[in-house]
Amino acid sequence: MRRTRLTILATAIAASLTVSASSAHAAACTGASLLPAVASVATAKSATLCLLNAERGARGLVSLSSQPTLETTATSYSQAMVRQSFFSHVSPGGQTVSDRLASYVGSASSWRTGENLAWGEGTLATPSAIVRGWMASPSHRTNILNGAFREIGIGIAGGTPKGSLPAISATYTTHFGTRTPASSSSTRVSVASLSTGTRSTKRISAKKKKQISKRCHRVARRTKASKKTRTARYKRCMRTQLRAAKKR
């Protein structure tokens, strides 16, 4: 299979760039060098987790455990990006990673979350190629080697946001997380790689609100839908954007 295109996206976190050991680990992870459509999505997910944990293990970090809620949200987002032809941490409807992982955070007293995205075609759609790409990117690498993370959800969908054939391409989402139950005696703190779930009392200027409103109107009009649906999308976008603005 000829090498084609790999596109990745992750949270913008500074980190140093070092050489990845993914190639050396691939042989030990079943299905790592096969397309998800060939090896099966389940095998590709397992291979991706194997490769990520090999990277962590090589640096003395605890292995990540697959978590059902994170896997469900990651899978849904990969499918949405393929179906709606977009590639971003914010969906066309204005949904952010904090929105996607609200069910995972739940009533936890503290949490940390992160999200890595990628899509590839041909040999660049294999788990080993995707992980190599992530490890060569500072922001992706930071999420993968974050010692605070304990759980992960991996979602893989055949096809890409640009409409590539599912048989020779794939879109990946990884949701990282760790959380402390609300019953814990620890101090209530909330942190996340992309955004947090905490509330803020910061006031937003009228000018900023107007800018956000214009942005959300554009988001609502981006796809064909009924007036009721567009209105709901606008309101959801406003809630999300205002919440994000208060945290900055």
Side-chain angles (χ1 to χ4, degrees), residues 37-236:
V38 175
S40 82
V41 169
T43 298
K45 287 183 179 181
S46 178
T48 302
L49 179 56
C50 175
L51 291 167
L52 294 176
N53 279 333
E55 295 288 357
R56 289 172 66 89
R59 295 160 180 82
L61 299 173
V62 175
S63 294
L64 298 169
S65 299
S66 181
Q67 204 281 335
T69 301
L70 291 178
E71 181 162 342
T72 296
T73 59
T75 299
S76 296
Y77 201 55
S78 286
Q79 293 172 341
M81 287 191 288
V82 173
R83 184 174 61 253
Q84 299 178 43
S85 302
F86 75 94
F87 188 64
S88 172
H89 286 297
V90 181
S91 74
Q95 183 193 59
T96 66
V97 66
S98 290
D99 297 323
R100 287 189 285 284
L101 300 183
S103 58
Y104 171 75
V105 171
S107 59
S109 63
S110 64
W111 64 90
R112 183 184 295 271
T113 58
E115 178 178 80
N116 282 358
L117 307 177
W119 62 261
E121 299 171 327
T123 56
L124 295 181
T126 65
S128 60
I130 295 294
V131 173
R132 275 200 308 275
W134 280 335
M135 288 299 292
S137 167
S139 55
H140 298 79
R141 180 186 176 88
T142 294
N143 275 342
I144 294 170
L145 301 183
N146 189 325
F149 289 141
R150 291 291 184 272
E151 299 177 312
I152 189 173
I154 300 171
I156 302 176
T160 70
K162 77 166 196 172
S164 309
L165 293 175
I168 59 169
S169 63
T171 298
Y172 290 65
T173 297
T174 51
H175 281 160
F176 302 88
T178 189
R179 54 191 173 174
T180 302
S183 59
S184 171
S185 59
S186 62
T187 302
R188 185 176 180 80
V189 178
S190 173
V191 293
S193 294
L194 185 62
S195 55
T196 69
T198 55
R199 293 184 177 181
S200 171
T201 57
K202 178 181 177 181
R203 299 181 66 85
I204 303 174
S205 67
K207 180 179 179 181
K208 184 64 176 178
K209 287 182 179 179
K210 187 175 181 179
Q211 292 174 340
I212 292 174
S213 179
K214 288 182 178 180
R215 187 183 311 144
C216 288
H217 273 302
R218 289 197 297 271
V219 168
R221 294 194 300 266
R222 192 171 297 167
T223 57
K224 293 182 179 179
S226 66
K227 182 177 180 181
K228 181 178 180 181
T229 299
R230 291 197 302 271
T231 299
R233 184 172 296 152
Y234 168 78
K235 291 180 178 179
R236 184 167 61 250

